[in-house]
Amino acid sequence: MIKIRVPGKIHLVGEHSVVYGEPAIIAALDRHVSVEIRTASAIFINGKEFDIDETKRFSQRIEELWQRCMKNCDFSELSSIMKSDNNFIRASAGYMLDSLQPEEGVKIDIKSDIPRGAGMGSSAAISVAIVASFSSLFKNEFNRQKINSAAFELERFLHGTPSGGDNSACCFGGFLWFRKGENSIEMKNLGTKDSGIFDNFIVANTGIPKLSTCELVQNVRRTDPSIRDPVIKDLGKITSLMKEALEEGDSKRIVNLINRTWDNLSKLGLSTPNADSLISKIRKAGGAAKLCGACGGGTLLAYHEDVDMIRKLVNEAGYQPARIKLGVEGVTTETVSP
Ligand code: MEV
């Protein structure tokens, strides 16, 4: 039996603009998907049985649907089918069966403490976990580059037109400088000045987003370019400035840049009343906050030099603040005797 563990991710900056070719800084974080996989006579996903050939056919149908959606620039149908978690895992399993052509099925058990659809990379971590587990089991291969490429293909089933940033962060871990179509770069010199800046971040869940990542990305694509394009450009600039601020451990600039990021994302209609109200309290207290990933609800990332004060404020507003460890290790594997 093989065990795979994959971290979630969080965008420090660059969500959405990364889809348009601007850079993003994405950190792997200490919430994980864990998978146990072994060979079996059929496909068992968390105890539910599926026929092997039917699983492959399901995946092929999803691939065809993706092609159609891409052609029509409308991912609504794909998004609604993928709202059930099992459909995504089933399509992903079918994709791996098709590409590896093993003679057996699998029993795969997936556990996750990454909140679903909340901007922390739960689907990217599942994609990476499925690819890593199937290729470890059937090919005895664990190559992060190859895992990442196939995980990107799976991400399309859920996100429509992903940038590839989420799966790269979950696969490689650490802090990534990511630009679509390029190899991601690990940012090794962040926080080396012992600034402790990464201890000043906390997260809080502002509520499950009403729309999926696929729908939110689609809404941004449909936004009037005269509004969208300057926002995307500025978000790109912010990412470059944030790189310097993080390397220098410059708290004041980090606060300004996160707040400028949020002003931009809000212009794209990615805010919620809950998030706005909490973010304005954090700003008044001298801190910074923004939603993460596709936004529209979900995870709020907050930063303040006095992190305990922000934690109290988030608590008083009725949310559960949580510490996070950023820059953790990417996907890992372990073979366990049955
Ligand atoms: C979603 O976690 C991040 C987005 O930028 C989409 C993507 O990069 O594929 C909104």
Side-chain angles (χ1 to χ4, degrees):
M1 188 254 288
I2 290 169
K3 286 188 180 184
I4 299 287
R5 198 159 179 262
V6 189
K9 66 82 203 171
I10 204 153
H11 280 75
L12 296 181
V13 279
E15 48 270 274
H16 285 286
S17 48
V18 72
V19 175
Y20 297 82
E22 298 294 340
I25 299 175
I26 317 171
L29 93 166
D30 61 341
R31 307 288 188 274
H32 289 88
V33 163
S34 307
V35 162
E36 289 185 4
I37 191 168
R38 63 188 85 211
T39 53
S41 56
I43 306 300
F44 297 90
I45 299 171
N46 285 348
K48 203 160 175 230
E49 183 174 348
F50 302 94
D51 176 73
I52 296 178
D53 288 333
E54 174 45 31
T55 306
K56 287 188 201 168
R57 280 197 296 276
F58 180 68
S59 178
Q60 287 154 6
R61 283 202 300 276
I62 295 298
E63 177 67 43
E64 283 159 21
L65 176 59
W66 183 86
Q67 301 286 350
R68 263 202 319 280
C69 291
M70 190 67 188
K71 203 162 152 226
N72 301 334
C73 288
D74 184 354
F75 286 90
S76 312
E77 194 183 341
L78 183 67
S79 174
S80 95
I81 292 180
M82 285 298 151
K83 277 194 172 142
S84 150
D85 215 7
N86 257 347
N87 281 347
F88 174 57
I89 297 171
R90 197 150 68 100
S92 301
Y95 180 96
M96 291 311 292
L97 290 171
D98 237 358
S99 86
L100 302 176
Q101 296 292 335
E103 298 195 338
E104 292 161 289
V106 291
K107 180 175 181 304
I108 182 161
D109 292 299
I110 305 176
K111 289 196 190 114
S112 175
D113 65 1
I114 308 175
R116 233 187 109 191
M120 280 196 185
S122 74
S123 69
I126 289 177
S127 304
V128 169
I130 289 180
V131 176
S133 58
F134 274 74
S135 32
S136 303
L137 185 70
F138 290 123
K139 280 182 80 185
N140 197 17
E141 183 179 271
F142 188 80
N143 173 318
R144 285 201 173 89
Q145 288 291 351
K146 287 190 185 173
I147 292 170
N148 194 42
S149 304
F152 173 75
E153 299 299 328
L154 301 186
E155 274 280 88
R156 287 177 307 129
F157 292 164
L158 209 60
H159 288 187
T161 53
S163 64
D166 293 13
N167 48 281
S168 300
C170 298
C171 187
F172 298 117
F175 293 91
L176 289 192
W177 173 270
F178 178 84
R179 199 191 274 269
K180 193 172 157 181
E182 293 177 6
N183 283 336
S184 45
I185 300 169
E186 190 177 354
M187 301 171 75
K188 287 207 169 110
N189 52 345
L190 293 192
T192 46
K193 294 192 175 155
D194 203 19
S195 52
I197 44 167
F198 293 114
D199 297 334
N200 296 342
F201 285 97
I202 57 160
V203 291
N205 195 337
T206 66
I208 298 172
K210 285 206 183 84
L211 299 178
S212 68
T213 297
C214 191
E215 289 164 325
L216 289 156
V217 169
Q218 177 159 287
N219 285 354
V220 172
R221 194 165 36 242
R222 289 176 176 173
T223 303
D224 183 342
S226 69
I227 298 171
R228 187 193 60 214
D229 295 353
V231 164
I232 299 294
K233 274 252 137 0
D234 197 47
L235 286 168
K237 272 190 216 145
I238 292 172
T239 301
S240 299
L241 296 170
M242 184 62 109
K243 178 175 180 287
E244 289 168 19
L246 290 171
E247 281 168 356
E248 285 160 22
D250 185 340
S251 247
K252 213 166 154 207
R253 280 175 81 200
I254 293 170
V255 166
N256 286 336
L257 291 168
I258 294 175
N259 286 336
R260 187 164 141 194
T261 297
W262 183 239
D263 290 341
N264 276 304
L265 291 171
S266 299
K267 285 185 200 153
L268 297 176
L270 295 165
S271 184
T272 66
N274 280 355
D276 275 338
S277 142
L278 181 55
I279 290 172
S280 88
K281 285 183 186 133
I282 292 171
R283 283 183 172 200
K284 273 190 200 127
K290 68 175 190 72
L291 294 180
C292 296
C295 308
T299 303
L300 173 122
L301 178 72
Y303 178 91
H304 199 292
E305 270 187 325
D306 182 356
V307 78
D308 287 332
M309 193 264 273
I310 284 297
R311 186 198 275 267
K312 200 162 155 260
L313 213 155
V314 170
N315 231 324
E316 280 165 9
Y319 301 95
Q320 199 68 54
R323 285 262 188 200
I324 39 170
K325 190 167 183 320
L326 295 171
V328 302
E329 190 179 7
V331 56
T332 54
T333 180
E334 187 190 336
T335 305
V336 185
S337 351

mmCIF file of all heavy atoms in Angstrom, residues 6 13 16 20 24 28 69 77 107 140 159 172 181 185 191 201 207 252 261 296 301 305 334:
data_model
loop_
_atom_site.group_PDB
_atom_site.id
_atom_site.type_symbol
_atom_site.label_atom_id
_atom_site.label_comp_id
_atom_site.label_asym_id
_atom_site.label_seq_id
_atom_site.Cartn_x
_atom_site.Cartn_y
_atom_site.Cartn_z
ATOM 1 N N VAL A 6 -0.187 15.527 0.464
ATOM 2 C CA VAL A 6 -0.015 16.738 -0.359
ATOM 3 C C VAL A 6 -0.527 17.962 0.416
ATOM 4 O O VAL A 6 -1.645 17.937 0.939
ATOM 5 C CB VAL A 6 -0.827 16.631 -1.679
ATOM 6 C CG1 VAL A 6 -0.470 17.774 -2.624
ATOM 7 C CG2 VAL A 6 -0.616 15.297 -2.357
ATOM 8 N N VAL A 13 -0.100 36.733 -3.208
ATOM 9 C CA VAL A 13 -0.602 37.702 -4.205
ATOM 10 C C VAL A 13 -0.706 37.017 -5.566
ATOM 11 O O VAL A 13 -0.051 36.003 -5.796
ATOM 12 C CB VAL A 13 0.336 38.926 -4.398
ATOM 13 C CG1 VAL A 13 0.148 39.973 -3.343
ATOM 14 C CG2 VAL A 13 1.790 38.510 -4.516
ATOM 15 N N HIS A 16 -6.104 35.206 -9.849
ATOM 16 C CA HIS A 16 -6.832 35.711 -11.024
ATOM 17 C C HIS A 16 -5.904 36.335 -12.077
ATOM 18 O O HIS A 16 -5.947 35.911 -13.232
ATOM 19 C CB HIS A 16 -7.967 36.681 -10.648
ATOM 20 C CG HIS A 16 -9.149 35.946 -10.087
ATOM 21 N ND1 HIS A 16 -10.011 35.207 -10.874
ATOM 22 C CD2 HIS A 16 -9.594 35.778 -8.816
ATOM 23 C CE1 HIS A 16 -10.932 34.641 -10.108
ATOM 24 N NE2 HIS A 16 -10.707 34.968 -8.855
ATOM 25 N N TYR A 20 -4.022 35.377 -16.520
ATOM 26 C CA TYR A 20 -3.762 36.228 -17.689
ATOM 27 C C TYR A 20 -2.261 36.420 -17.941
ATOM 28 O O TYR A 20 -1.851 37.357 -18.624
ATOM 29 C CB TYR A 20 -4.455 37.594 -17.500
ATOM 30 C CG TYR A 20 -5.954 37.416 -17.418
ATOM 31 C CD1 TYR A 20 -6.560 37.041 -16.216
ATOM 32 C CD2 TYR A 20 -6.750 37.533 -18.549
ATOM 33 C CE1 TYR A 20 -7.921 36.808 -16.140
ATOM 34 C CE2 TYR A 20 -8.112 37.310 -18.481
ATOM 35 C CZ TYR A 20 -8.686 36.947 -17.273
ATOM 36 O OH TYR A 20 -10.031 36.708 -17.217
ATOM 37 N N ALA A 24 2.508 35.229 -9.897
ATOM 38 C CA ALA A 24 1.871 35.117 -8.572
ATOM 39 C C ALA A 24 2.901 34.571 -7.589
ATOM 40 O O ALA A 24 3.842 33.876 -7.992
ATOM 41 C CB ALA A 24 0.680 34.167 -8.645
ATOM 42 N N ALA A 28 2.923 26.877 -0.231
ATOM 43 C CA ALA A 28 2.298 25.629 0.241
ATOM 44 C C ALA A 28 2.020 25.819 1.726
ATOM 45 O O ALA A 28 2.799 26.460 2.434
ATOM 46 C CB ALA A 28 3.247 24.466 0.018
ATOM 47 N N CYS A 69 -16.714 22.898 -23.870
ATOM 48 C CA CYS A 69 -16.802 24.133 -23.056
ATOM 49 C C CYS A 69 -15.738 25.125 -23.505
ATOM 50 O O CYS A 69 -15.984 26.324 -23.616
ATOM 51 C CB CYS A 69 -16.589 23.821 -21.573
ATOM 52 S SG CYS A 69 -17.923 22.897 -20.828
ATOM 53 N N GLU A 77 -21.637 24.001 -17.753
ATOM 54 C CA GLU A 77 -22.083 22.602 -17.667
ATOM 55 C C GLU A 77 -21.042 21.747 -16.927
ATOM 56 O O GLU A 77 -21.376 20.954 -16.040
ATOM 57 C CB GLU A 77 -22.315 22.069 -19.090
ATOM 58 C CG GLU A 77 -23.094 20.771 -19.118
ATOM 59 C CD GLU A 77 -23.245 20.220 -20.532
ATOM 60 O OE1 GLU A 77 -23.086 20.981 -21.514
ATOM 61 O OE2 GLU A 77 -23.506 19.012 -20.639
ATOM 62 N N LYS A 107 -8.077 0.546 -4.819
ATOM 63 C CA LYS A 107 -8.873 0.994 -3.677
ATOM 64 C C LYS A 107 -8.170 2.265 -3.206
ATOM 65 O O LYS A 107 -6.981 2.218 -2.865
ATOM 66 C CB LYS A 107 -8.863 -0.087 -2.592
ATOM 67 C CG LYS A 107 -9.660 0.280 -1.375
ATOM 68 C CD LYS A 107 -9.688 -0.892 -0.399
ATOM 69 C CE LYS A 107 -10.511 -0.576 0.828
ATOM 70 N NZ LYS A 107 -10.109 0.615 1.556
ATOM 71 N N ASN A 140 5.738 2.564 -10.179
ATOM 72 C CA ASN A 140 6.820 2.719 -9.207
ATOM 73 C C ASN A 140 7.627 3.991 -9.515
ATOM 74 O O ASN A 140 8.853 3.993 -9.463
ATOM 75 C CB ASN A 140 7.704 1.465 -9.230
ATOM 76 C CG ASN A 140 8.559 1.398 -7.989
ATOM 77 O OD1 ASN A 140 8.255 2.089 -7.000
ATOM 78 N ND2 ASN A 140 9.620 0.612 -8.034
ATOM 79 N N HIS A 159 -11.491 23.339 -12.897
ATOM 80 C CA HIS A 159 -11.333 24.805 -12.991
ATOM 81 C C HIS A 159 -11.535 25.357 -14.391
ATOM 82 O O HIS A 159 -11.497 26.565 -14.588
ATOM 83 C CB HIS A 159 -9.934 25.227 -12.501
ATOM 84 C CG HIS A 159 -9.792 25.112 -11.015
ATOM 85 N ND1 HIS A 159 -8.688 25.562 -10.343
ATOM 86 C CD2 HIS A 159 -10.621 24.605 -10.086
ATOM 87 C CE1 HIS A 159 -8.847 25.328 -9.061
ATOM 88 N NE2 HIS A 159 -10.014 24.742 -8.879
ATOM 89 N N PHE A 172 5.231 21.059 -5.583
ATOM 90 C CA PHE A 172 6.637 21.347 -5.266
ATOM 91 C C PHE A 172 6.832 21.878 -3.841
ATOM 92 O O PHE A 172 7.930 21.807 -3.291
ATOM 93 C CB PHE A 172 7.219 22.345 -6.270
ATOM 94 C CG PHE A 172 7.206 21.815 -7.681
ATOM 95 C CD1 PHE A 172 6.455 22.425 -8.670
ATOM 96 C CD2 PHE A 172 7.928 20.676 -8.018
ATOM 97 C CE1 PHE A 172 6.433 21.932 -9.967
ATOM 98 C CE2 PHE A 172 7.907 20.169 -9.315
ATOM 99 C CZ PHE A 172 7.156 20.791 -10.284
ATOM 100 N N GLY A 181 2.795 28.879 -17.925
ATOM 101 C CA GLY A 181 3.596 28.463 -19.091
ATOM 102 C C GLY A 181 5.090 28.433 -18.829
ATOM 103 O O GLY A 181 5.862 28.040 -19.687
ATOM 104 N N ILE A 185 9.485 28.963 -9.889
ATOM 105 C CA ILE A 185 10.793 29.157 -9.250
ATOM 106 C C ILE A 185 10.589 29.148 -7.742
ATOM 107 O O ILE A 185 9.741 29.882 -7.222
ATOM 108 C CB ILE A 185 11.397 30.523 -9.665
ATOM 109 C CG1 ILE A 185 11.562 30.553 -11.197
ATOM 110 C CG2 ILE A 185 12.730 30.773 -8.975
ATOM 111 C CD1 ILE A 185 11.887 31.931 -11.752
ATOM 112 N N GLY A 191 12.181 35.821 3.784
ATOM 113 C CA GLY A 191 12.186 35.761 5.244
ATOM 114 C C GLY A 191 13.515 35.325 5.824
ATOM 115 O O GLY A 191 13.602 34.977 6.985
ATOM 116 N N PHE A 201 0.912 36.041 9.665
ATOM 117 C CA PHE A 201 -0.266 35.754 8.844
ATOM 118 C C PHE A 201 -1.208 34.822 9.610
ATOM 119 O O PHE A 201 -0.757 33.868 10.239
ATOM 120 C CB PHE A 201 0.136 35.030 7.547
ATOM 121 C CG PHE A 201 0.782 35.910 6.513
ATOM 122 C CD1 PHE A 201 2.164 35.979 6.394
ATOM 123 C CD2 PHE A 201 -0.005 36.655 5.643
ATOM 124 C CE1 PHE A 201 2.752 36.777 5.416
ATOM 125 C CE2 PHE A 201 0.580 37.456 4.658
ATOM 126 C CZ PHE A 201 1.955 37.511 4.556
ATOM 127 N N GLY A 207 -16.877 31.756 4.991
ATOM 128 C CA GLY A 207 -18.091 31.084 4.497
ATOM 129 C C GLY A 207 -17.863 30.505 3.108
ATOM 130 O O GLY A 207 -17.083 31.061 2.328
ATOM 131 N N LYS A 252 5.545 47.152 6.584
ATOM 132 C CA LYS A 252 4.684 48.254 6.146
ATOM 133 C C LYS A 252 4.290 48.074 4.672
ATOM 134 O O LYS A 252 3.132 48.248 4.291
ATOM 135 C CB LYS A 252 5.448 49.570 6.336
ATOM 136 C CG LYS A 252 4.550 50.711 6.684
ATOM 137 C CD LYS A 252 5.336 51.888 7.190
ATOM 138 C CE LYS A 252 4.506 53.123 6.893
ATOM 139 N NZ LYS A 252 5.313 54.305 6.740
ATOM 140 N N THR A 261 -3.935 44.799 -3.302
ATOM 141 C CA THR A 261 -4.420 43.582 -3.978
ATOM 142 C C THR A 261 -5.929 43.464 -3.789
ATOM 143 O O THR A 261 -6.687 43.224 -4.739
ATOM 144 C CB THR A 261 -3.740 42.317 -3.389
ATOM 145 O OG1 THR A 261 -2.354 42.400 -3.644
ATOM 146 C CG2 THR A 261 -4.285 41.041 -3.991
ATOM 147 N N GLY A 296 -14.650 35.350 -3.708
ATOM 148 C CA GLY A 296 -16.102 35.170 -3.640
ATOM 149 C C GLY A 296 -16.527 34.497 -2.329
ATOM 150 O O GLY A 296 -17.567 33.847 -2.266
ATOM 151 N N LEU A 301 -7.075 35.836 4.248
ATOM 152 C CA LEU A 301 -5.691 35.857 4.731
ATOM 153 C C LEU A 301 -5.459 37.232 5.334
ATOM 154 O O LEU A 301 -5.672 38.243 4.656
ATOM 155 C CB LEU A 301 -4.733 35.626 3.563
ATOM 156 C CG LEU A 301 -3.233 35.654 3.884
ATOM 157 C CD1 LEU A 301 -2.812 34.417 4.673
ATOM 158 C CD2 LEU A 301 -2.413 35.743 2.596
ATOM 159 N N GLU A 305 1.529 43.097 12.145
ATOM 160 C CA GLU A 305 2.728 42.871 12.965
ATOM 161 C C GLU A 305 2.343 42.360 14.344
ATOM 162 O O GLU A 305 3.045 41.546 14.930
ATOM 163 C CB GLU A 305 3.507 44.182 13.093
ATOM 164 C CG GLU A 305 4.513 44.333 11.995
ATOM 165 C CD GLU A 305 5.406 45.528 12.209
ATOM 166 O OE1 GLU A 305 4.932 46.558 12.730
ATOM 167 O OE2 GLU A 305 6.591 45.425 11.829
ATOM 168 N N GLU A 334 5.146 7.397 0.588
ATOM 169 C CA GLU A 334 5.665 6.425 1.555
ATOM 170 C C GLU A 334 5.042 5.074 1.186
ATOM 171 O O GLU A 334 3.834 4.988 0.938
ATOM 172 C CB GLU A 334 5.158 6.865 2.935
ATOM 173 C CG GLU A 334 5.668 6.128 4.109
ATOM 174 C CD GLU A 334 4.856 6.541 5.370
ATOM 175 O OE1 GLU A 334 4.268 7.638 5.402
ATOM 176 O OE2 GLU A 334 4.808 5.714 6.287
#
